[in-house]
Amino acid sequence: MTLTKNTFIGEYFYSLDAKGRINIPAKFRQALSKDNKNTFVLTRGMDSCIWIYPLKQWKEIESNLRKLSSLSNLHRTFVRNTARYATPSTYDKQGRISLPPSLIEYAKLNKDVQIIGMINKMEVWNPKQLIITDNEAINIDTSAYDDLAEKITL
Amino acid sequence: MTLTKNTFIGEYFYSLDAKGRINIPAKFRQALSKDNKNTFVLTRGMDSCIWIYPLKQWKEIESNLRKLSSLSNLHRTFVRNTARYATPSTYDKQGRISLPPSLIEYAKLNKDVQIIGMINKMEVWNPKQLIITDNEAINIDTSAYDDLAEKITL
DNA sequence: TAAGCTTGTGGGTAGTTGTGGGTAAAAACC
DNA sequence: GGTTTTTACCCACAACTACCCACAAGCTTA
């Protein structure tokens, strides 16, 4: 059963093969709308993980970047750092995408990988790195949650 | 897989050969629409790098420059410095363009070069220079950077 | 319970990609 | 005008990637 189109939830455990490929959860593939053309855009996440956007979602980011002028040092730096690490990748007949070596290194991936649905994108983690990040999250200022509570109705 | 036409993302490492040629990433070549006629316009970037525009994109810049009044000293200088160093270059059967010696010197290029997709153009860097520029970017006002990131919705 | 489909993983192969270098036409120089 | 230098176009090849087939394990359905 697929929920909303282009929306990803849940966590999955797969293995990275010798050719640097990982499986995309079948449920995520089913959730993709046709106009994504079986293609994702991979890039560095803000934590030690890889972010995977459906093509359509990435195009929105692109069109925002396109508006920024290269005359501004700030804009130039932002476009460079955002565009630089992004790579498109289409999944094969078996539902796998191949990860570029630079991203495998960035996310410190070994054989075991964990994929997490993040609503509008997915994250690929080394399970061990995720545990570390989880532990660090304990130190988050919980009072900041109250600010968030005003924006989001749980 | 090609994303949007005339849109460039990702970073690539190539070498500048003895004849002053560099490879254009295959993905970038595929992204070019036919009306670019395999031609780029190269010019000085605002950092220590070379900017490479698809012909079509450059023509847009030209028409924008045309609108600037020569009565303004600022405008005159800006138009002059933008137009001055621009050179067209068509890529060969193997997908390479040759860089004029003046631009090679300007960007301080040696054998190793790095190409970065900047959405509407690409940048050619000496990897070492890019690291220096990256480090300087630390001085950027981080709150302004965060504001920008919030608008783009990554 | 058996048959059939789906899912995750391994691996072979043909085509693509990046790089070096040769040759002839064109341009620049004296 | 003839010689040298530069540029444009071509071929060659190693490394890599995209695409395909295969199969085992799990789930579904009859």
Side-chain angles (χ1 to χ4, degrees), chain B residues 38-62:
Chain B
N38 299 350
T39 303
F40 295 96
V41 175
L42 328 181
T43 190
R44 291 189 179 188
M46 289 198 64
D47 302 288
S48 174
C49 67
I50 301 172
W51 279 351
I52 302 187
Y53 292 95
L55 180 57
K56 206 180 157 191
Q57 180 71 40
W58 174 258
K59 285 188 174 172
E60 257 179 61
I61 292 172
E62 271 181 355

Side-chain angles (χ1 to χ4, degrees), chain A residues 9-20:
Chain A
I9 58 174
E11 75 175 343
Y12 300 84
F13 295 85
Y14 296 118
S15 58
L16 180 69
D17 71 18
K19 291 184 180 176

Side-chain angles (χ1 to χ4, degrees), chain A residues 87-153:
Chain A
T87 330
S89 185
T90 303
Y91 63 80
D92 66 17
K93 225 175 182 178
Q94 283 69 246
R96 292 169 296 190
I97 54 170
S98 62
L99 307 178
S102 61
L103 285 178
I104 291 176
E105 193 184 349
Y106 174 76
K108 302 190 176 73
L109 298 184
N110 297 320
K111 178 126 173 96
D112 295 323
V113 300
Q114 186 168 359
I115 297 187
I116 297 180
M118 290 284 283
I119 309 297
N120 71 334
K121 60 176 168 285
M122 52 189 111
E123 286 183 349
V124 181
W125 285 86
N126 176 336
K128 288 178 184 171
Q129 285 294 319
L130 182 54
I131 290 169
I132 295 169
T133 306
D134 281 344
N135 288 339
E136 284 168 353
I138 290 169
N139 300 321
I140 275 185
D141 175 11
T142 47
S143 73
Y145 263 75
D146 294 342
D147 290 343
L148 245 190
E150 282 171 23
K151 290 185 190 161
I152 294 167
T153 311

Side-chain angles (χ1 to χ4, degrees), chain A residues 57-106:
Chain A
Q57 179 74 37
W58 172 260
K59 280 188 176 175
E60 263 177 57
I61 294 172
E62 253 179 25
S63 83
N64 287 328
L65 292 177
R66 198 177 272 279
K67 292 173 198 152
L68 301 177
S69 166
S70 280
L71 282 178
S72 153
N73 183 30
L74 175 71
H75 287 190
R76 226 163 44 234
T77 305
F78 187 81
V79 170
R80 190 180 298 128
N81 288 336
T82 308
R84 183 170 174 186
Y85 302 107
T87 330
S89 185
T90 303
Y91 63 80
D92 66 17
K93 225 175 182 178
Q94 283 69 246
R96 292 169 296 190
I97 54 170
S98 62
L99 307 178
S102 61
L103 285 178
I104 291 176
E105 193 184 349
Y106 174 76

Side-chain angles (χ1 to χ4, degrees), chain B residues 87-99:
Chain B
T87 330
S89 183
T90 303
Y91 63 81
D92 68 16
K93 218 176 184 179
Q94 282 69 246
R96 292 170 296 192
I97 54 170
S98 60
L99 306 178

